Amino acid sequence: MTDIRFARNSAAGLAIGVLSGASGMSELQDADFVIPTVADIVQADGRFIWQND
């Protein structure tokens, strides 16, 4: 939750929660994206998770 708040307060653009860290899903519910591990930030096709085009 604190990391998500820091991302929001710093205007980082996106707040991405990572479940392999110290927080669980309940603490990350306000994130733009929640991923299992940092490796999941890149999709199978090579695009980042926030790239839809």
Side-chain angles (χ1 to χ4, degrees), residues 22-49:
S23 300
M25 189 60 167
S26 61
E27 290 93 9
L28 301 174
Q29 64 187 4
D30 293 330
D32 295 303
F33 295 95
V34 177
I35 56 177
T37 68
V38 174
D40 293 310
I41 204 163
V42 178
Q43 301 178 76
D45 62 5
R47 294 181 300 150
F48 290 108
I49 57 174

